[in-house]
Amino acid sequence: MKKTFALIICALCFGAIGGQVGLPTERVAISKVEGNHLVCIWDQTAGNWLHDFESYDNSGIYEFQVPQWGQWYWIGLWDEAAGEYVYSKWIGHFLTD
């Protein structure tokens, strides 16, 4: 029983280290801002917005799961009062051998 349990743990550990576990979660640090802002994410490969714009909670952090490996995503913070982007960043996650 102990050997079986040890083999299962080893298999899980090596599987997590050696292969793709899942899609990455991106945690973007954004300067704290005041007022109403929207988070906009552009999917470069699809040539379209990733999803509806979300209200930003002004916490200084925005977290989202990257939907696919090997693609570029642009994150923008839209200031509703000024009518302009006050932050932007490109994010890309790629698997390598």
Side-chain angles (χ1 to χ4, degrees):
M1 182 69 176
K2 289 181 182 179
K3 287 182 182 179
T4 303
F5 187 66
L7 286 173
I8 291 171
I9 289 174
C10 286
L12 291 172
C13 289
F14 287 121
I17 294 169
Q20 178 179 338
V21 176
L23 296 171
T25 298
E26 186 64 51
R27 189 172 191 199
V28 180
I30 299 174
S31 300
K32 290 193 177 186
V33 293
E34 294 184 21
N36 295 328
H37 293 80
L38 297 173
V39 176
C40 314
I41 303 175
W42 177 260
D43 182 340
Q44 180 65 23
T45 303
N48 204 353
W49 297 107
L50 185 59
H51 47 69
D52 291 338
F53 301 160
E54 297 179 33
S55 292
Y56 177 59
D57 62 4
N58 299 334
S59 65
I61 300 282
Y62 181 73
E63 192 170 303
F64 74 102
Q65 183 170 6
V66 177
Q68 278 189 299
W69 288 96
Q71 295 187 15
W72 287 100
Y73 300 94
W74 177 84
I75 294 111
L77 191 60
W78 177 259
D79 184 336
E80 293 184 285
E84 63 183 17
Y85 286 101
V86 294
Y87 173 86
S88 69
K89 181 172 186 131
W90 282 98
I91 303 291
H93 290 277
F94 299 89
L95 294 173
T96 59
D97 292 333

